[in-house]
Amino acid sequence: MAFTTIDDPSKYFQTVLWTGDGNDDRSITFDGNSDMQPDMVWTKRRPTASSHGIRDSSRGATVELFPGSSDDELSVSDRFQAFESDGFQVGTNADINGTSNNTYVAWAWKANGGTTTTNDASATSVGTIDSVYQANTTAGFSIVTYTGAGGNQTVAHGLGVTPEVIFIKRRDSAGDWTSYHSVLGAEKFMRLNDTNAVGDQATYFQDTAPTSTVFSVGNAGDVNTSSGTHVAYCFKSIKGYSKFGSYLGNADNNGTFVYTGFSPAWLMIKRTDSTQQWNIHDNKRKTYNQDVAYVFANLNNAEATSSNLYLDFLSNGFRLRNGDDAQNNGTYLYLAFAHQPFVTSSGVPTTAK
């Protein structure tokens, strides 16, 4: 079997940087020859405090959720305006395209080009409540929308394999970003919009792991309010392209090495045994090892740099370079997407940047 089925990760995930010009209807295009049309785009203004924003092609380009907040979704016409065949379009709002002293970053994932499948649970016997999903089974990513019914329910996700990570957010009212991680188990949960350590609550996922067809939700309002609308982002690791796991820090400047099977393009880390931020690194803002530029997913803070959060992106994983509590002095989970696989589908090794 080939080492990876994805030789070019940029077809399914991209990071892009731009400097604001204050113009309306501005197209932001991805680097290289990729023709990736994104379906989920997460943006952040870098030099000053501002809210993160997530939009997806299932809910609509101008409908925004905020990873650092429990707020409900908001329609904003002057921020993110459209998904395009090789990028996206932005408006004049300072949080996404202000004047030239503003710089921005976006992280983008491809699902199914906005084409959705409606699962009628009563007709298909898949799940107990209806859902609408668009799935990219090659890249292990699906966007699922559903209306809650209260009680214990199951929801079709469309991946065809068991998801390892799920982020769920209520859309029509305030609610925390509740997340499932297979390394923690279905009896545990974490919240993207806060710093808390891992929690234990059966009302989120029924203490029931997802399957290749459905994920389970309990009667917690954040994941299954009766008549409330919800969105779920589901991920499955793909060898050479994405990896979701855990590691134990060693509190040393020659820190823990984490094998991913690829050179990372994007990495998010969260401590699980204590309160800490969700730290996001990428290879566009961090252009060489011992350079660091990070943002916190759960805060609106400006981008920061600190030797406390040094890490190296290597050809086959990453290594922590400081004993800081936030990344290398406890137990942690991580989500990583590839810049390039360690070995291509034809068996050719690649090198670090």
Side-chain angles (χ1 to χ4, degrees):
M1 179 181 292
F3 179 84
T4 183
T5 56
I6 298 178
D7 283 331
D8 183 1
S10 70
K11 293 182 179 297
Y12 305 102
F13 171 80
Q14 288 256 354
T15 298
V16 63
L17 309 178
W18 70 98
T19 299
D21 63 10
N23 292 325
D24 200 16
D25 304 329
R26 180 183 177 185
S27 291
I28 306 298
T29 57
F30 296 130
D31 293 339
N33 298 318
S34 175
D35 59 354
M36 187 186 93
Q37 178 173 319
D39 291 297
M40 184 177 82
V41 178
W42 179 340
T43 62
K44 180 70 176 75
R45 181 165 58 167
R46 300 170 59 191
T48 55
S50 67
S51 59
H52 296 253
I54 289 180
R55 309 91 181 158
D56 63 67
S57 58
S58 291
R59 294 179 301 116
T62 62
V63 183
E64 188 167 0
L65 285 166
F66 309 98
S69 169
S70 62
D71 289 351
D72 54 333
E73 68 184 10
L74 181 67
S75 293
V76 188
S77 61
D78 66 345
R79 284 165 65 97
F80 193 95
Q81 296 177 319
F83 297 95
E84 298 185 329
S85 61
D86 58 354
F88 51 89
Q89 180 179 292
V90 297
T92 59
N93 191 289
D95 280 347
I96 203 162
N97 188 33
T99 52
S100 59
N101 62 329
N102 285 285
T103 56
Y104 303 86
V105 60
W107 308 295
W109 291 261
K110 181 177 182 177
N112 195 35
T115 301
T116 61
T117 298
T118 299
N119 179 67
D120 181 339
S122 62
T124 64
S125 298
V126 179
T128 59
I129 55 177
D130 297 344
S131 65
V132 178
Y133 60 80
Q134 57 164 314
N136 186 329
T137 56
T138 300
F141 173 52
S142 70
I143 303 167
V144 185
T145 57
Y146 62 96
T147 298
N152 289 338
Q153 306 291 342
T154 55
V155 183
H157 55 68
L159 277 180
V161 292
T162 303
E164 296 171 45
V165 174
I166 305 172
F167 292 97
I168 301 175
K169 179 69 178 74
R170 186 172 178 185
R171 301 168 53 194
D172 62 324
S173 185
D176 289 316
W177 287 80
T178 305
S179 60
Y180 160 83
H181 303 266
S182 60
V183 296
L184 301 176
E187 71 278 6
K188 307 291 186 181
F189 73 95
M190 298 201 78
R191 294 191 178 112
L192 181 62
N193 58 297
D194 70 26
T195 62
N196 289 356
V198 63
D200 189 336
Q201 178 57 265
T203 60
Y204 285 118
F205 304 115
Q206 302 181 45
D207 289 355
T208 302
T211 71
S212 61
T213 56
V214 300
F215 61 86
S216 297
V217 290
N219 61 8
D222 289 343
V223 299
N224 186 28
T225 297
S226 181
S227 300
T229 55
H230 304 264
V231 63
Y233 302 112
C234 305
F235 298 90
K236 166 66 177 177
S237 62
I238 303 296
K239 188 175 182 181
Y241 166 73
S242 59
K243 181 75 171 177
F244 319 117
S246 63
Y247 67 88
L248 179 65
N250 65 6
D252 193 279
N253 287 349
N254 186 22
T256 298
F257 166 73
V258 181
Y259 176 83
T260 60
F262 51 80
S263 175
W266 185 89
L267 175 67
M268 182 160 67
I269 295 171
K270 175 67 176 77
R271 187 167 180 175
T272 60
D273 61 338
S274 180
T275 58
Q276 281 294 338
Q277 317 295 345
W278 294 76
N279 308 312
I280 299 178
H281 305 264
D282 65 65
N283 69 340
K284 293 293 181 69
R285 294 174 303 124
K286 169 187 162 60
T287 57
Y288 55 88
N289 287 331
Q290 298 302 302
D291 173 30
V292 64
Y294 60 88
V295 293
F296 299 130
N298 55 289
L299 294 176
N300 294 338
N301 292 16
E303 177 182 282
T305 60
S306 170
S307 60
N308 289 346
L309 295 183
Y310 276 159
L311 54 79
D312 290 346
F313 282 170
L314 306 174
S315 62
N316 58 351
F318 61 95
R319 184 182 294 279
L320 289 310
R321 288 299 190 185
N322 192 282
D324 191 84
D325 289 349
Q327 295 189 160
N328 192 32
N329 192 21
T331 57
Y332 303 83
L333 61 80
Y334 69 90
L335 292 78
F337 290 87
H339 165 61
Q340 59 187 18
F342 183 46
V343 179
T344 68
S345 61
S346 60
V348 178
T350 59
T351 57
K353 62 183 181 181

